[in-house]
Structure formats: structure tokens, C-alpha cells
Amino acid sequence: MQTNYEKIVSVCSYCGSGCQIEFTVDKKANRIIEAKGAPGRTNEGRLCLKGFYGWDYLNDPKILTRRITQPMIRKGGKGSELEAVSWEEAIQYTADRLKAIIKEYGPDAVMGAGSARGPGNEAGYITQKFMRAVIGTNNVDHCARICHAASVAGLKQTIGEGAMSVSVPEIEDAEVIFNIGYNGATSHPIVARRIVKAKAKGAKIICADPQISETARIADIHLQQKGGTNLLLLNALAYTIIEEKLYDEQFIKDHVNGFEDFVPKLTGYAPEAVAHLIGVSAQQIRDAARMYASSKHSVILWGMGITQFSQGVDSVAACSNLAMLTGNYGHYATGVGPVRGQNNVQGTCDIGILPDVYPGYQSVTDAAVREKFEDAWGVKLSPNVGIKLTQVPEYVLEEKDPKKQIHAYYIIGEDPAQSDPNLEELRESLRKIDFVIVQDIFMNRTAEYADVLLPATAWGEHDAIYTSCDRGFQRVRKVIEPPEGVKTDWAILCEIATAMGYPMHYNNTEEIWDEMRKLAPKFTGATYAKIEALGGVQWPCYDESMDDKGTMFLHEGGHFATKDGRGNLVFTDYQPVKEEVDEEYPLSFCTVREVGHYSARTMTGNCRMLRQLEDEPGWIAMNPKDCEALGVEQGDLVRVRSRRGSLITRCLPTERAKEGATYMTYQWWIGACNELTLGELDPKSKTPEYKYCACRVEKLDDQAEAEEYVKSQYALIRAKNGIVKAGAGA
Ligand SMILES: Nc1nc2c(c(=O)[nH]1)N[C@H]1C(S)=C(S)[C@@H](COP(=O)(O)OP(=O)(O)OC[C@H]3O[C@@H](n4cnc5c(=O)[nH]c(N)nc54)[C@H](O)[C@@H]3O)O[C@H]1N2
Ligand SMILES: Nc1nc2c(c(=O)[nH]1)N[C@H]1C(S)=C(S)[C@@H](COP(=O)(O)OP(=O)(O)OC[C@H]3O[C@@H](n4cnc5c(=O)[nH]c(N)nc54)[C@H](O)[C@@H]3O)O[C@H]1N2
Ligand code: SF4
Ligand SMILES: [Mo]
């Protein structure tokens, strides 16, 4: 029988595992029929539930929100309704307003946020080129700031390179895995699969996490520490490694600076002196140190439980210290894995959507580098490092000189009004900024503050390259035709640039990729043809010839990416979290991830299968004893309150949480965690302390009324997003 079905292989649009998926596509109906795991380097044919079912948003079932397919402008100014306009009008309007703001306040009055999600590396390259060459500022950043920026900064200090040194497939050959502040089973199920495989092959597992995660369940040692004590623990591990002479003297001599200065600073971090503050036994800490140091194939994996603290950078450096002390760098199945979150967050950093570097981590303050980009782009470029994403409220609300304030914010594929900390403050900033451009695929929460809304093609509707968490470039293919009325992210930017007097035109993504490759030596060798032929290429890849197949692990032979090629031990004293629990707010509040849903949930919230698993208003996980004391049971609606705001969610009693600790997944619009979180930032990376603040949980006596409230809020969200006809969400 003749069918219109076609098989197309692409890469998943959710987490950084970089799973390859084979889609069966009905070309005539322009619909995906089925998704199956393809034999990719990282996933070997496996997928998690989001890979199997997470593409339904392309069908726009209008559950939580809806696709945007027309450009819109608030013609009547702030507070007026968004009105659909033609692309010509939207582009001209945007260009004119940006030009007027630059004329009045200068280019640094404009801030840009790029996307680590659907658009891909080529659109990312155009985003930063637009901000730098067309606007004239380095004010460009993205959600890595609120994620792994601390890993980039902490590893830069110690070993000169912020990426995972180890690759996903190597994890299963590790002999010891030290998993700290990372919950792979939820966040990267297909990376977590390698931890399980390593265990089956005989590896020892140490898990440091205040909750009993899936990895904690299979760990040989679970350090169930008190939240916010990472640096105490990591310094105590370093202390033990040195005191018990478990370190690799030769490796340190040959490859590491600062040992003599480092050792005396650890006095005071003996396990016996700090264990009671961490909430584990001194013996456990010593056992963990011995286990970690027992192998030359020890891998440290970490995630947000390390980086989302005000001492995130210092804790990353402390992880790296352990690897340097024990010679666990520079050969197969060893090293560090700051496992990058989003499908293309590694790529978004690589491509220079950061306020201090051009593509390929080349510094904007290096005159020779700047000159190279000035020649390529034909403009003068700013030598000043730009503003970071989380500094936006400061530059809008605190800065009093209008010439130094942010007056325009161009937000591409990010939802700060859902994802950034301390939402009340963020909303105030968005209301105050003169001109907010939101370029997205869905109406998201930030769209409410947009003066212009620009609709883009989604993953599945355009070609691109994504970079997996372990530096792997992979081809992402157009699977179906986009809805009428949308344009690719890069084409929109090119049209605005052209309207602003800087003509930009590309025929396809390969042309953009080639321009980028030529300017970034680390990526020069990764041509489309090579990525296609090999199924993927891990950077660095310098040479275009087929002989250079890229790089599996970094720092081979202990040669680090620092100026002198040696690693640097960096010590910092521990400081407590910024907001401890007290009588008024007696529970700790930690925000984590829901396995079937993803970040701002515009995408998974509009997938029918996934919303069947979990939906608004989410859950707060608490120890059963705490639930009992409050008189609340599983499924009851409760109010959670912090000093900054409150929300309503459902109670989930679980032994996974220690007494006094609560966990909420941050995916919900009604149960929006960031109403509660703290705006405190790591001073070095400006990453927020999302993983710890104080809260209290209140019982709601009238459950029927609370249920009604949730229902009405859901209806309100849908109405605000313009869902007039009942879709699957009704
Ligand atoms: N409380 C708390 N808050 C957190 C965290 C936490 O642990 N706790 N984690 C933080 C972390 S690690 C991160 S990375 C952030 C994530 O925060 P965000 O980046 O805001 O969230 P995402 O859902 O990944 O994507 C944002 C937007 O991209 C849009 N989008 C997707 N594909 C495309 C495309 O191809 N083109 C365009 N133009 N738009 C597209 C989506 O519709 C969505 O509106 O959240 C942070 N917020
Ligand atoms: N399903 C799904 N997958 C995702 C995402 C999603 O939204 N949904 N988001 C993606 C993104 S953007 C990212 S960045 C990754 C994040 O992936 P992960 O880093 O794995 O995510 P989290 O669940 O935020 O936090 C990890 C762990 O830190 C622990 N933790 C909390 N406080 C502390 C502490 O003080 N010390 C230690 N040692 N641990 C602590 C938590 O209990 C949790 O188990 O996931 C990605 N994958
Ligand atoms: S593990 Fe990540 S990349 Fe793989 S299918 Fe799941 S969400 Fe997609
Ligand atoms: Mo993230």
C-alpha cells in the first residue's frame, strides 16, 4: 500500500542528554505519527517519556496556552490589548523603537536574552551578532545564568574550561561515581541510565543530596546532608583526602598549582569538626573520601544542587579540587560532569550568548579577538562586558540614572516571568521597561508584558544544530512544515537588522554555521558534512579534514585549558545560606524538577499524554511527620508562603524528604515556585539561590473553595492566553 509516511531522524528538544529520535511523519497530513529511539551516541536507541510523547505541542492542542502565529503589537501603548499586525509592520515598528532607544540612551540601554531551547546554534549565533553588531552592546545572556553559569565560572578558575570533561557514554565505565546535587533520573533519564549501567558493571556510587533521590537509592554511600551545606562537605572531603594522604602526589606535582597554600586553609574542616553541621556522620565523610580517591576512574556529576546557591561557583571549584587532588582528570572515564540542563544550553554558551565572550569562548575584552570580529562583521564592537540576565531588575529598578538603565528588553525563547527568581520584582521590572519584545512559539507568561510579540518556528519546523550536554554537535531536522505566519528565529532577527540599517541575509542555516565556524577555532572542524557523516561531533574539533573526529574527553594527559596548562586549586570558606528557617517560616523550601514536565511548561503543558501524568497546581513534597503535624493529607490543597509571596499547591507526603525540608517542582503556573524564591545571587556568577529559602505551609480548611480557586485560575490562564474555543484542556 502506498503511504505518505517518511522516517526522519532528529534530536530531542528537551534535556541535554541529546537523544536521537526517529520520527514517522505523515507528510500529507503534516503530522508526526510516532517517535522511536534512534541509535545516537548518547542514547543508543533509548528515550525517556518526553522523547516518546513530548512532541504533541506541535499539534497545538491548546491545553495550557496556545501557539502564536501572527506578530502582535500593543498599538495603544502599555496596558492596551495586543493587536495582530503584518510582519512588515512588526519589523519596522520594532526596528524604529530600538533605534529611538539607542539614540536617546545609547546601545547599552538594550538587553537581549537568547534561547537554549528550540532555535539552535545558528539562530543563537545570529542573536549575539544582532546584539553586538547591530545594537552595539554586549548585553546578551540566557538562562545558563540561572543554571550552570556557576559551573562555567568555577571550572574556568580551576581548569580553564567550563564544559563536561567527560562524555555521557564514558560514565558507565567509571569505577566510582560521586553524584552531588544532581537528580539524573528526573532531569536526564538517559544520562542516569549510564549511572545504573556503571553500577551493574561494579562501580561504587556516592550520592550527596538532602532528599532520597533515585540515585541515592542505589548509592553505596548516601550523604543525606542538610540543604545548603555543599562547601562544608566538599572541603571536609578535601581535608580527608589530604590528611589521609589519599592524593596523587605525582599528578599534583606535574599538573596542579597551589597545593602548599591550599593545605593549611583546610584546617577547621576535619569531618569530626563539621559533620554535625552537614547532618551526616564524620565516618560517612571519611568513607566517601576514601571511596572517591580509590580509583583513577572516578567521575563527579553535579547539577543544580551545586550551582543554584549563593556559593555555587565556590562549590564547583571545590568539586574540581577533588578531581585535581586525586589525578582524576585527563584520561578515559574520569573527570567532571556539570550535566548541562537544556537541549542546547551547552550550545547557547558555545555560541557566545554570554555578556563576556564571542562564539567559542573568545573574550570581548581581548583587543585582537575583538578586531577579528570587527573585520568579519564590518562594525566597531563594544569592549565592555555586558549585563547579566539576573541583573536586569537591578538595572531597571535600582539604577537611578536613566542613561545607565535598561530601556528595551528583547527576549527570545525564555520565560523570565515564570523562571526567574522573586517574580514580584521581575514583573515590576518588565512593567517599567519602555519596550519589551517577546519572540516565542507560545503565549508564555512573559508575553503578558510584551509590547511586541514575534512568532517563531518551533523545534521540528526548522533545521539546526544542537549541542548535547557533553559538547556533542548534532543535526536537528525539519520534520513538518510550520504553521502559516511564523518565521525562523534567525530570519526574524535578520529582518529587524536589515530594517535598522545593517543588512543581514542568509539562505540557510549551513551558511550561518559556516560563518561561525570560521571565527571560532574550537569549532572550525565541525562541518555540516562531518556532523552528518559521523552522526555527531564533540568539540573541540579544529580541523575540517575527516581525520579530526572531535574530542571525547578534555584535558588529555592533565594538560588543562589554563594559560600555563596547569590546574589551580581554589579554596573558599563556607558561608551559610542567605535565608535560614526560623519560627515564622520553619520549613526549608527547595525547588526541583518534574520528570514529565519541562521548565516553563509551554511545551510539555501542551502535550496530551504528559498533562495526563501531572497538571496544575503541582505538588509540595514533605515528610509525612510534617504533614501529620499540620493535619494535611496527600492531595490536599495547601498554601505555601515565604517572605516574598505565596501559592497554592497539593500536599505530597514522602519519606524522600527529611523532616523540616520541602521540595516543589518549579513547572507550575498556579503553583509558581518563583513567587517564593529568593533573589539572592552568587556574587561571581549571579546565579540565584533557588535551592534554599524559608517557607511555611498552611492548611486550607475549605478544600471545596480551594479546588474552585484552582479551577478558576486555570480558566483565567487559558483565557489570558486567548484560548477561546475549548481544546483538550477543557
Ligand atoms: N525555582 C526555580 N526556578 C528555576 C529553576 C529551578 O531549579 N528552580 N531552574 C532554572 C533553570 S536551570 C533554567 S535553565 C530556567 C529555564 O527557564 P526558561 O528558559 O524560561 O524555560 P524554558 O521552558 O526552557 O523555555 C522558555 C521559552 O522558550 C520557548 N521556546 C521553545 N522553543 C523555542 C523556539 O524554537 N523559538 C523561540 N523563539 N522560543 C522557543 C518556550 O515556549 C518558552 O516560552 O529556569 C530556571 N528557573
Ligand atoms: N523533566 C525535566 N528534565 C529537565 C528539566 C525539567 O524542567 N524537567 N530541566 C532541565 C534543566 S534546565 C536543568 S538545569 C537540569 C537540572 O537537573 P538537576 O540538577 O538534576 O535538577 P534539580 O532537580 O533542580 O536538582 C538536583 C538535585 O539537587 C538536590 N539538592 C537540593 N539542595 C541541595 C544541596 O544543598 N546539596 C546537594 N548536594 N544537593 C541539593 C535536589 O534534592 C535534587 O535532587 O534538568 C534538565 N532536565
Ligand atoms: S532524556 Fe532528555 S533528550 Fe532524551 S528523550 Fe528524555 S528529555 Fe529527550
Ligand atoms: Mo537549566
Side-chain angles (χ1 to χ4, degrees), residues 183 187 209 225 228 230 304 593-595 597 599 667 691:
N183 189 6
S187 56
D209 198 310
Q225 61 188 111
N230 289 327
M304 300 297 100
R593 282 156 170 82
E594 189 75 39
V595 67
H597 283 287
S599 289
Q667 267 70 53
K691 289 287 182 274

Side-chain angles (χ1 to χ4, degrees), residues 396-606:
V396 177
L397 303 175
E398 286 175 30
E399 180 58 67
K400 294 285 179 275
D401 178 357
K403 289 259 178 227
K404 290 187 185 150
Q405 278 178 331
I406 295 291
H407 292 273
Y409 194 3
Y410 192 164
I411 305 166
I412 304 173
E414 280 209 358
D415 197 359
Q418 167 72 3
S419 316
D420 284 13
N422 194 353
L423 286 181
E424 188 46 48
E425 187 189 61
L426 199 270
R427 284 190 291 260
E428 204 185 325
S429 311
L430 288 173
R431 276 187 222 110
K432 201 176 160 205
I433 296 172
D434 302 333
F435 188 47
V436 177
I437 310 162
V438 169
Q439 182 168 311
D440 211 279
I441 56 177
F442 281 103
M443 291 293 292
N444 62 12
R445 298 199 75 185
T446 310
E448 210 177 303
Y449 307 90
D451 298 291
V452 176
L453 206 55
L454 302 170
T457 53
W459 161 90
E461 298 166 352
H462 55 238
D463 291 321
I465 284 174
Y466 292 169
T467 315
S468 62
C469 63
D470 61 352
R471 299 170 276 105
F473 296 132
Q474 301 192 96
R475 287 290 307 274
V476 175
R477 294 182 178 82
K478 183 173 179 176
V479 178
I480 58 166
E481 289 303 320
E484 214 175 300
V486 302
K487 291 176 189 271
T488 60
D489 283 291
W490 57 267
I492 300 169
L493 285 156
C494 287
E495 288 185 26
I496 298 170
T498 307
M500 289 178 75
Y502 183 95
M504 273 215 263
H505 177 79
Y506 301 88
N507 290 306
N508 52 48
T509 49
E510 189 170 6
E511 280 183 14
I512 304 172
W513 184 252
D514 287 344
E515 177 178 316
M516 185 286 296
R517 275 194 307 113
K518 300 273 158 48
L519 289 163
K522 272 191 178 127
F523 313 143
T524 303
T527 61
Y528 261 43
K530 195 188 286 186
I531 297 170
E532 183 81 45
L534 301 176
V537 172
Q538 284 176 282
W539 66 256
C541 180
Y542 297 98
D543 197 304
E544 285 186 9
S545 84
M546 269 299 184
D547 298 337
D548 185 352
K549 294 191 167 49
T551 312
M552 181 170 29
F553 55 82
L554 298 178
H555 317 298
E556 186 157 12
H559 302 294
F560 293 107
T562 48
K563 278 213 172 83
D564 65 357
R566 292 168 67 85
N568 301 304
L569 289 163
V570 175
F571 171 85
T572 320
D573 262 318
Y574 163 77
Q575 282 171 10
V577 290
K578 297 294 176 194
E579 186 184 71
E580 252 309 350
V581 298
D582 55 22
E583 257 177 40
E584 207 183 340
Y585 295 97
L587 300 169
S588 63
F589 183 72
C590 175
T591 56
V592 292
R593 282 156 170 82
E594 189 75 39
V595 67
H597 283 287
Y598 200 91
S599 289
R601 213 161 57 88
T602 52
M603 293 150 86
T604 53
N606 286 307

Side-chain angles (χ1 to χ4, degrees), residues 187-441:
S187 56
H188 301 97
I190 297 301
V191 173
R193 173 179 163 262
R194 304 284 182 164
I195 304 175
V196 177
K197 283 186 89 178
K199 170 99 182 167
K201 287 183 177 181
K204 297 280 183 220
I205 295 174
I206 308 159
C207 180
D209 198 310
Q211 66 166 333
I212 304 175
S213 64
E214 288 302 293
T215 308
R217 288 181 58 206
I218 63 162
D220 296 275
I221 299 176
H222 178 202
L223 300 162
Q224 197 175 7
Q225 61 188 111
K226 184 185 162 316
T229 58
N230 289 327
L231 200 53
L232 269 180
L233 173 64
L234 290 160
N235 283 347
L237 290 168
Y239 176 98
T240 310
I241 286 169
I242 288 166
E243 190 209 35
E244 298 190 14
K245 301 218 169 346
L246 306 169
Y247 54 89
D248 184 333
E249 214 172 327
Q250 194 61 44
F251 187 86
I252 294 170
K253 197 162 147 251
D254 293 346
H255 304 292
V256 181
N257 297 324
F259 186 70
E260 279 70 34
D261 292 342
F262 184 71
V263 173
K265 290 192 178 132
L266 290 165
T267 323
Y269 287 92
E272 292 69 21
V274 293
H276 67 288
L277 298 171
I278 304 171
V280 298
S281 73
Q283 190 59 48
Q284 269 191 309
I285 300 174
R286 288 196 180 267
D287 288 346
R290 287 171 199 153
M291 194 178 274
Y292 175 73
S294 71
S295 170
K296 288 283 176 268
H297 295 285
S298 292
V299 168
I300 312 181
L301 300 177
W302 72 80
M304 300 297 100
I306 283 282
T307 60
Q308 289 176 340
F309 278 106
S310 52
Q311 274 197 307
V313 176
D314 303 334
S315 301
V316 167
C319 287
S320 188
N321 288 342
L322 298 182
M324 283 186 283
L325 287 171
T326 55
N328 269 303
Y329 265 130
H331 51 269
Y332 182 76
T334 187
V336 292
V339 193
R340 305 303 296 259
Q342 296 167 306
N343 58 304
N344 197 40
V345 65
Q346 181 62 54
T348 314
C349 291
D350 297 346
I351 221 74
I353 303 194
L354 291 171
D356 57 342
V357 287
Y358 298 116
Y361 303 96
Q362 303 174 85
S363 174
V364 298
T365 57
D366 181 324
V369 166
R370 205 165 54 243
E371 218 169 282
K372 176 171 82 171
F373 281 89
E374 285 175 344
D375 285 349
W377 295 343
V379 287
K380 233 26 228 149
L381 294 170
S382 166
N384 306 320
V385 169
I387 289 170
K388 299 180 174 73
L389 193 77
T390 42
Q391 290 177 298
V392 170
E394 176 192 333
Y395 276 84
V396 177
L397 303 175
E398 286 175 30
E399 180 58 67
K400 294 285 179 275
D401 178 357
K403 289 259 178 227
K404 290 187 185 150
Q405 278 178 331
I406 295 291
H407 292 273
Y409 194 3
Y410 192 164
I411 305 166
I412 304 173
E414 280 209 358
D415 197 359
Q418 167 72 3
S419 316
D420 284 13
N422 194 353
L423 286 181
E424 188 46 48
E425 187 189 61
L426 199 270
R427 284 190 291 260
E428 204 185 325
S429 311
L430 288 173
R431 276 187 222 110
K432 201 176 160 205
I433 296 172
D434 302 333
F435 188 47
V436 177
I437 310 162
V438 169
Q439 182 168 311
D440 211 279
I441 56 177

Side-chain angles (χ1 to χ4, degrees), residues 170-192:
E170 290 173 80
I171 295 171
E172 70 174 70
D173 288 328
E175 290 173 350
V176 180
I177 294 174
F178 178 24
N179 182 101
I180 178 162
Y182 176 52
N183 189 6
T186 345
S187 56
H188 301 97
I190 297 301
V191 173

Side-chain angles (χ1 to χ4, degrees), residues 11-21 42-43 46-52 184 186-192 341 343 595 598:
V11 178
C12 180
S13 67
Y14 291 105
C15 85
S17 298
C19 299
Q20 294 197 1
I21 311 181
T42 58
N43 69 313
R46 309 299 171 99
L47 297 177
C48 85
L49 75 173
K50 295 184 295 304
F52 282 117
T186 345
S187 56
H188 301 97
I190 297 301
V191 173
N343 58 304
V595 67
Y598 200 91

